[in-house]
Coordinates of all heavy atoms in Angstrom, one line a residue:
G86 N 4.7 -9.7 6.6 CA 4.8 -10.0 8.0 C 5.0 -8.8 8.8 O 4.3 -8.6 9.9
A87 N 5.9 -7.9 8.4 CA 6.1 -6.6 9.1 C 4.8 -5.8 9.1 O 4.5 -5.1 10.1 CB 7.2 -5.9 8.5
Q88 N 4.1 -5.7 8.0 CA 2.9 -5.0 7.9 C 1.8 -5.5 8.8 O 1.1 -4.7 9.5 CB 2.4 -5.0 6.4 CG 3.3 -4.2 5.5 CD 3.2 -4.7 4.0 OE1 2.4 -5.6 3.7 NE2 4.0 -4.2 3.2
L89 N 1.6 -6.8 8.9 CA 0.6 -7.4 9.7 C 0.9 -7.2 11.2 O 0.0 -6.8 12.0 CB 0.5 -8.9 9.4 CG -0.2 -9.2 8.1 CD1 -0.1 -10.7 7.8 CD2 -1.6 -8.8 8.1
V90 N 2.2 -7.3 11.6 CA 2.5 -7.1 13.0 C 2.3 -5.6 13.3 O 1.8 -5.3 14.4 CB 4.0 -7.5 13.2 CG1 4.4 -7.2 14.6 CG2 4.1 -9.1 13.0
G91 N 2.7 -4.7 12.4 CA 2.5 -3.3 12.7 C 1.0 -3.0 12.9 O 0.6 -2.2 13.8
A92 N 0.2 -3.5 12.0 CA -1.2 -3.2 12.0 C -1.9 -3.8 13.3 O -2.7 -3.2 14.0 CB -1.9 -3.8 10.8
L93 N -1.5 -5.0 13.7 CA -2.0 -5.7 14.9 C -1.6 -4.9 16.1 O -2.4 -4.8 17.1 CB -1.6 -7.1 14.9 CG -2.3 -8.1 13.9 CD1 -1.6 -9.4 13.9 CD2 -3.8 -8.3 14.4
T94 N -0.4 -4.5 16.1 CA 0.1 -3.7 17.3 C -0.7 -2.4 17.4 O -1.1 -2.0 18.5 CB 1.6 -3.3 17.1 OG1 2.3 -4.6 17.0 CG2 2.1 -2.6 18.3
A95 N -1.0 -1.7 16.3 CA -1.8 -0.5 16.3 C -3.2 -0.8 16.8 O -3.8 -0.1 17.6 CB -1.8 0.1 14.9
G96 N -3.8 -1.9 16.3 CA -5.1 -2.3 16.7 C -5.2 -2.6 18.2 O -6.1 -2.2 18.9
L97 N -4.1 -3.2 18.8 CA -4.1 -3.5 20.2 C -4.0 -2.2 21.0 O -4.7 -2.1 22.0 CB -2.9 -4.4 20.5 CG -2.7 -4.7 22.0 CD1 -3.9 -5.5 22.6 CD2 -1.4 -5.6 22.2
F98 N -3.2 -1.3 20.6 CA -3.1 0.0 21.2 C -4.5 0.7 21.2 O -4.9 1.3 22.2 CB -2.0 0.9 20.6 CG -0.7 0.8 21.2 CD1 0.3 -0.1 20.7 CD2 -0.3 1.5 22.3 CE1 1.5 -0.2 21.3 CE2 0.9 1.4 22.9 CZ 1.8 0.5 22.4
L99 N -5.1 0.7 20.0 CA -6.4 1.4 20.0 C -7.4 0.7 20.9 O -8.2 1.4 21.6 CB -6.9 1.4 18.5 CG -6.2 2.3 17.6 CD1 -6.7 2.1 16.1 CD2 -6.5 3.8 17.9
F100 N -7.5 -0.6 20.9 CA -8.4 -1.4 21.7 C -8.2 -1.0 23.2 O -9.1 -0.8 23.9 CB -8.2 -2.8 21.5 CG -9.0 -3.7 22.4 CD1 -10.3 -4.0 22.1 CD2 -8.4 -4.3 23.5 CE1 -11.1 -4.9 22.9 CE2 -9.2 -5.1 24.4 CZ -10.5 -5.4 24.1
T101 N -6.9 -0.9 23.6 CA -6.6 -0.6 25.0 C -6.9 0.9 25.3 O -7.6 1.1 26.3 CB -5.1 -0.8 25.2 OG1 -4.8 -2.2 24.9 CG2 -4.7 -0.5 26.7
L102 N -6.5 1.8 24.5 CA -6.7 3.2 24.8 C -8.2 3.6 24.7 O -8.6 4.5 25.5 CB -6.0 4.1 23.8 CG -4.4 4.0 23.9 CD1 -3.7 4.7 22.7 CD2 -4.0 4.6 25.2
M103 N -9.0 3.0 23.8 CA -10.4 3.4 23.8 C -11.2 2.9 25.0 O -12.2 3.5 25.4 CB -11.1 2.7 22.5 CG -10.6 3.3 21.2 SD -10.9 5.1 21.1 CE -12.6 5.2 21.2
H104 N -10.6 2.0 25.8 CA -11.3 1.6 27.0 C -11.0 2.7 28.1 O -11.6 2.5 29.2 CB -10.7 0.3 27.5 CG -11.4 -0.9 26.8 ND1 -11.0 -1.4 25.6 CD2 -12.6 -1.6 27.2 CE1 -11.8 -2.4 25.3 NE2 -12.8 -2.5 26.2
G105 N -10.3 3.7 27.8 CA -10.2 4.8 28.7 C -11.5 5.6 28.8 O -11.7 6.4 29.7
F106 N -12.4 5.4 27.8 CA -13.7 6.0 27.8 C -14.7 5.1 28.6 O -14.8 3.9 28.3 CB -14.3 6.2 26.4 CG -13.6 7.2 25.6 CD1 -12.8 6.9 24.5 CD2 -13.7 8.6 25.9 CE1 -12.1 7.8 23.8 CE2 -13.1 9.5 25.1 CZ -12.3 9.2 24.1
P107 N -15.3 5.6 29.7 CA -16.2 4.7 30.5 C -17.3 4.0 29.6 O -17.9 4.6 28.8 CB -16.9 5.7 31.4 CG -15.9 6.8 31.5 CD -15.3 7.0 30.2
G108 N -17.4 2.7 29.8 CA -18.4 2.0 29.1 C -18.1 1.6 27.7 O -19.0 1.1 27.0
F109 N -16.9 1.9 27.2 CA -16.6 1.6 25.8 C -16.7 0.1 25.5 O -16.2 -0.8 26.3 CB -15.2 2.1 25.5 CG -14.8 1.7 24.1 CD1 -15.2 2.4 23.0 CD2 -13.9 0.6 23.9 CE1 -14.8 2.0 21.7 CE2 -13.5 0.3 22.6 CZ -14.0 1.0 21.5
D110 N -17.3 -0.3 24.4 CA -17.4 -1.7 24.0 C -16.8 -1.8 22.6 O -17.3 -1.1 21.6 CB -18.8 -2.2 24.0 CG -19.0 -3.6 23.6 OD1 -17.9 -4.3 23.4 OD2 -20.1 -4.1 23.5
A111 N -15.8 -2.5 22.4 CA -15.1 -2.6 21.1 C -15.9 -3.4 20.0 O -15.6 -3.3 18.8 CB -13.7 -3.2 21.2
T112 N -16.8 -4.2 20.5 CA -17.6 -5.0 19.5 C -18.3 -4.2 18.5 O -19.2 -3.4 18.8 CB -18.6 -5.9 20.3 OG1 -17.9 -6.7 21.3 CG2 -19.3 -6.8 19.3
G113 N -17.9 -4.3 17.3 CA -18.5 -3.6 16.2 C -18.3 -2.1 16.3 O -19.0 -1.3 15.6
N114 N -17.3 -1.7 17.0 CA -17.0 -0.2 17.2 C -15.6 0.1 17.3 O -15.1 0.8 18.2 CB -17.7 0.1 18.6 CG -17.8 1.6 18.8 OD1 -17.8 2.4 17.8 ND2 -17.7 2.1 20.0
L115 N -14.8 -0.4 16.4 CA -13.3 -0.2 16.4 C -12.8 0.2 15.0 O -11.7 -0.1 14.6 CB -12.6 -1.4 17.0 CG -11.2 -1.1 17.6 CD1 -11.3 -0.2 18.8 CD2 -10.5 -2.4 17.9
A116 N -13.7 0.9 14.3 CA -13.3 1.4 12.9 C -13.0 0.2 12.0 O -12.2 0.4 11.1 CB -12.1 2.4 13.0
Q117 N -13.6 -0.9 12.2 CA -13.4 -2.1 11.4 C -14.2 -1.9 10.1 O -15.1 -1.1 10.0 CB -13.9 -3.3 12.1 CG -15.4 -3.5 12.2 CD -16.1 -2.6 13.2 OE1 -15.4 -2.0 14.1 NE2 -17.4 -2.6 13.2
N118 N -13.7 -2.6 9.0 CA -14.4 -2.6 7.8 C -15.6 -3.6 7.8 O -15.5 -4.6 8.6 CB -13.5 -3.0 6.6 CG -12.3 -2.0 6.5 OD1 -11.2 -2.4 6.7 ND2 -12.7 -0.8 6.1
S119 N -16.6 -3.3 7.1 CA -17.8 -4.2 7.2 C -18.7 -4.0 5.9 O -18.5 -3.1 5.1 CB -18.6 -3.8 8.4 OG -19.0 -2.4 8.3
F120 N -19.6 -4.9 5.8 CA -20.6 -4.9 4.7 C -21.8 -5.6 5.2 O -21.9 -6.2 6.3 CB -20.1 -5.6 3.5 CG -19.7 -7.0 3.6 CD1 -20.6 -8.0 3.5 CD2 -18.4 -7.4 4.0 CE1 -20.3 -9.4 3.6 CE2 -18.0 -8.7 4.2 CZ -19.0 -9.7 4.0
G121 N -22.9 -5.6 4.5 CA -24.1 -6.3 4.8 C -24.7 -5.9 6.1 O -24.6 -4.7 6.5
D122 N -25.4 -6.8 6.8 CA -26.1 -6.5 8.0 C -25.2 -6.1 9.2 O -25.6 -5.4 10.1 CB -26.8 -7.8 8.5 CG -28.0 -8.2 7.6 OD1 -28.4 -7.3 6.8 OD2 -28.4 -9.3 7.6
A123 N -23.9 -6.4 9.1 CA -22.9 -6.0 10.1 C -22.4 -4.6 9.9 O -21.6 -4.1 10.7 CB -21.8 -7.0 10.2
G124 N -22.8 -4.0 8.7 CA -22.3 -2.7 8.4 C -23.4 -1.8 7.9 O -24.4 -1.6 8.5
S125 N -23.1 -1.3 6.7 CA -24.0 -0.3 6.1 C -25.2 -0.9 5.3 O -26.1 -0.3 4.8 CB -23.2 0.6 5.1 OG -22.8 -0.3 4.0
G126 N -25.2 -2.3 5.2 CA -26.2 -3.0 4.4 C -25.7 -3.2 3.0 O -26.5 -3.8 2.2
Y127 N -24.6 -2.7 2.7 CA -24.0 -2.9 1.3 C -23.8 -4.3 1.0 O -23.2 -5.1 1.8 CB -22.7 -2.1 1.2 CG -22.3 -1.7 -0.2 CD1 -23.1 -1.0 -1.0 CD2 -21.0 -2.0 -0.6 CE1 -22.7 -0.6 -2.3 CE2 -20.6 -1.6 -1.9 CZ -21.4 -0.9 -2.7 OH -21.0 -0.5 -4.0
A128 N -24.3 -4.8 -0.2 CA -24.2 -6.2 -0.6 C -22.8 -6.7 -0.6 O -21.9 -5.9 -1.1 CB -24.9 -6.4 -1.9
W129 N -22.5 -8.0 -0.3 CA -21.2 -8.5 -0.3 C -20.5 -8.4 -1.6 O -19.3 -8.1 -1.7 CB -21.2 -9.9 0.3 CG -21.7 -10.9 -0.7 CD1 -23.0 -11.4 -0.8 CD2 -20.9 -11.6 -1.7 NE1 -23.1 -12.3 -1.8 CE2 -21.8 -12.5 -2.4 CE3 -19.6 -11.6 -2.1 CZ2 -21.4 -13.3 -3.4 CZ3 -19.2 -12.3 -3.2 CH2 -20.1 -13.2 -3.8
W130 N -21.3 -8.8 -2.7 CA -20.7 -8.8 -4.0 C -20.3 -7.4 -4.5 O -19.2 -7.2 -5.1 CB -21.6 -9.4 -5.0 CG -22.9 -8.7 -5.2 CD1 -24.1 -9.0 -4.5 CD2 -23.2 -7.6 -6.0 NE1 -25.1 -8.1 -4.9 CE2 -24.6 -7.3 -5.9 CE3 -22.4 -6.9 -7.0 CZ2 -25.2 -6.2 -6.5 CZ3 -23.0 -5.8 -7.6 CH2 -24.4 -5.5 -7.4
A131 N -21.1 -6.4 -4.1 CA -20.8 -5.0 -4.5 C -19.6 -4.5 -3.7 O -18.7 -3.8 -4.2 CB -22.0 -4.1 -4.2
A132 N -19.5 -4.9 -2.4 CA -18.4 -4.6 -1.5 C -17.1 -5.2 -2.1 O -16.0 -4.5 -2.1 CB -18.6 -5.0 -0.1
F133 N -17.2 -6.4 -2.6 CA -16.0 -7.1 -3.1 C -15.5 -6.4 -4.4 O -14.3 -6.1 -4.5 CB -16.3 -8.5 -3.5 CG -15.1 -9.4 -3.8 CD1 -14.6 -10.2 -2.8 CD2 -14.5 -9.4 -5.0 CE1 -13.5 -11.0 -3.0 CE2 -13.4 -10.2 -5.3 CZ -12.9 -11.0 -4.3
L134 N -16.4 -6.1 -5.3 CA -16.0 -5.4 -6.5 C -15.5 -4.0 -6.2 O -14.5 -3.5 -6.9 CB -17.2 -5.3 -7.4 CG -17.7 -6.6 -8.1 CD1 -19.0 -6.4 -8.9 CD2 -16.6 -7.1 -9.0
L135 N -16.1 -3.3 -5.3 CA -15.6 -1.9 -5.0 C -14.2 -2.0 -4.4 O -13.4 -1.2 -4.8 CB -16.6 -1.3 -4.0 CG -16.3 0.1 -3.5 CD1 -16.3 1.1 -4.6 CD2 -17.2 0.5 -2.4
E136 N -14.0 -2.8 -3.4 CA -12.6 -2.9 -2.8 C -11.6 -3.4 -3.9 O -10.5 -2.8 -3.9 CB -12.7 -3.9 -1.6 CG -13.4 -3.3 -0.4 CD -12.7 -2.2 0.3 OE1 -11.4 -2.2 0.1 OE2 -13.3 -1.4 1.0
M137 N -12.0 -4.3 -4.7 CA -11.0 -4.8 -5.7 C -10.7 -3.6 -6.7 O -9.5 -3.4 -7.0 CB -11.6 -5.9 -6.5 CG -10.7 -6.5 -7.6 SD -11.5 -7.9 -8.5 CE -12.8 -7.0 -9.4
L138 N -11.7 -2.9 -7.2 CA -11.5 -1.8 -8.1 C -10.7 -0.7 -7.5 O -9.7 -0.2 -8.1 CB -12.8 -1.3 -8.6 CG -12.8 0.0 -9.5 CD1 -12.0 -0.3 -10.8 CD2 -14.2 0.4 -9.8
M139 N -11.0 -0.3 -6.3 CA -10.3 0.8 -5.6 C -8.8 0.4 -5.4 O -7.9 1.3 -5.6 CB -11.0 1.2 -4.3 CG -12.3 1.8 -4.5 SD -12.9 2.6 -2.9 CE -12.8 1.1 -1.8
T140 N -8.6 -0.8 -5.0 CA -7.2 -1.2 -4.8 C -6.4 -1.2 -6.1 O -5.2 -0.8 -6.1 CB -7.1 -2.6 -4.1 OG1 -8.0 -2.6 -3.0 CG2 -5.7 -3.0 -3.8
A141 N -7.0 -1.7 -7.2 CA -6.4 -1.7 -8.5 C -6.0 -0.2 -8.9 O -4.9 0.0 -9.3 CB -7.2 -2.3 -9.5
V142 N -7.0 0.7 -8.7 CA -6.7 2.1 -9.0 C -5.5 2.6 -8.2 O -4.6 3.3 -8.7 CB -8.0 2.9 -8.8 CG1 -7.6 4.4 -8.9 CG2 -9.0 2.6 -9.9
F143 N -5.6 2.3 -6.9 CA -4.6 2.8 -6.0 C -3.2 2.3 -6.4 O -2.2 3.1 -6.5 CB -4.9 2.3 -4.6 CG -4.1 2.8 -3.5 CD1 -3.5 4.1 -3.5 CD2 -3.8 2.1 -2.3 CE1 -2.8 4.6 -2.5 CE2 -3.1 2.6 -1.3 CZ -2.5 3.8 -1.3
I144 N -3.1 1.1 -6.8 CA -1.8 0.5 -7.1 C -1.3 0.9 -8.5 O -0.1 1.1 -8.8 CB -1.8 -1.0 -6.9 CG1 -2.0 -1.3 -5.4 CG2 -0.5 -1.6 -7.4 CD1 -2.2 -2.7 -5.0
W145 N -2.2 1.1 -9.4 CA -1.9 1.7 -10.7 C -1.2 3.1 -10.5 O -0.2 3.4 -11.1 CB -3.1 1.9 -11.6 CG -3.4 0.7 -12.4 CD1 -2.6 -0.3 -13.0 CD2 -4.8 0.2 -12.7 NE1 -3.3 -1.2 -13.6 CE2 -4.7 -1.0 -13.5 CE3 -6.1 0.7 -12.4 CZ2 -5.8 -1.7 -13.9 CZ3 -7.2 0.0 -12.9 CH2 -7.0 -1.2 -13.6
V146 N -1.8 3.9 -9.6 CA -1.2 5.2 -9.3 C 0.2 5.1 -8.7 O 1.1 5.7 -9.1 CB -2.2 6.0 -8.4 CG1 -1.4 7.3 -7.9 CG2 -3.5 6.4 -9.1
I147 N 0.3 4.2 -7.8 CA 1.6 4.0 -7.1 C 2.7 3.5 -8.1 O 3.8 4.1 -8.1 CB 1.5 3.0 -5.9 CG1 0.6 3.5 -4.8 CG2 2.8 2.6 -5.4 CD1 0.2 2.5 -3.8
L148 N 2.3 2.6 -8.9 CA 3.3 2.1 -9.9 C 3.7 3.2 -10.9 O 4.8 3.3 -11.4 CB 2.8 0.9 -10.7 CG 2.6 -0.4 -9.8 CD1 1.9 -1.5 -10.6 CD2 3.9 -0.9 -9.3
A149 N 2.7 4.1 -11.2 CA 3.0 5.1 -12.2 C 3.9 6.2 -11.6 O 4.8 6.7 -12.2 CB 1.6 5.8 -12.6
V150 N 3.6 6.6 -10.3 CA 4.3 7.8 -9.8 C 5.7 7.3 -9.3 O 6.6 8.2 -9.1 CB 3.6 8.5 -8.6 CG1 2.3 9.1 -9.1 CG2 3.3 7.5 -7.5
T151 N 5.9 6.0 -9.1 CA 7.3 5.5 -8.8 C 8.0 4.9 -10.0 O 9.1 4.4 -9.9 CB 7.2 4.4 -7.7 OG1 6.3 3.3 -8.2 CG2 6.6 5.0 -6.4
D152 N 7.4 5.0 -11.2 CA 8.0 4.5 -12.4 C 9.3 5.4 -12.7 O 9.3 6.6 -12.4 CB 7.0 4.7 -13.6 CG 7.4 4.0 -14.8 OD1 8.6 4.1 -15.3 OD2 6.6 3.2 -15.4
V153 N 10.3 4.7 -13.1 CA 11.6 5.4 -13.4 C 11.4 6.5 -14.4 O 12.2 7.4 -14.5 CB 12.7 4.4 -13.8 CG1 12.4 3.8 -15.2 CG2 14.1 5.0 -13.7
R154 N 10.4 6.4 -15.3 CA 10.1 7.4 -16.3 C 9.5 8.7 -15.7 O 9.4 9.7 -16.4 CB 9.3 6.8 -17.4 CG 10.0 5.7 -18.2 CD 9.0 5.0 -19.1 NE 8.0 4.3 -18.2 CZ 7.0 3.5 -18.7 NH1 6.9 3.5 -20.1 NH2 6.2 2.9 -17.9

Side-chain angles (χ1 to χ4, degrees):
Q88 292 155 5
L89 288 172
V90 174
L93 287 167
T94 304
L97 178 60
F98 267 95
L99 287 173
F100 176 82
T101 303
L102 292 171
M103 290 304 294
H104 278 89
F106 292 109
F109 175 78
D110 183 3
T112 303
N114 189 32
L115 204 63
Q117 74 282 352
N118 297 115
S119 60
F120 59 88
D122 293 339
S125 65
Y127 201 55
W129 73 267
W130 60 267
F133 193 99
L134 289 175
L135 179 63
E136 288 289 335
M137 181 181 70
L138 175 61
M139 291 193 306
T140 307
V142 170
F143 189 29
I144 295 173
W145 275 322
V146 170
I147 293 170
L148 293 174
V150 298
T151 58
D152 195 308
V153 71
R154 294 167 295 178

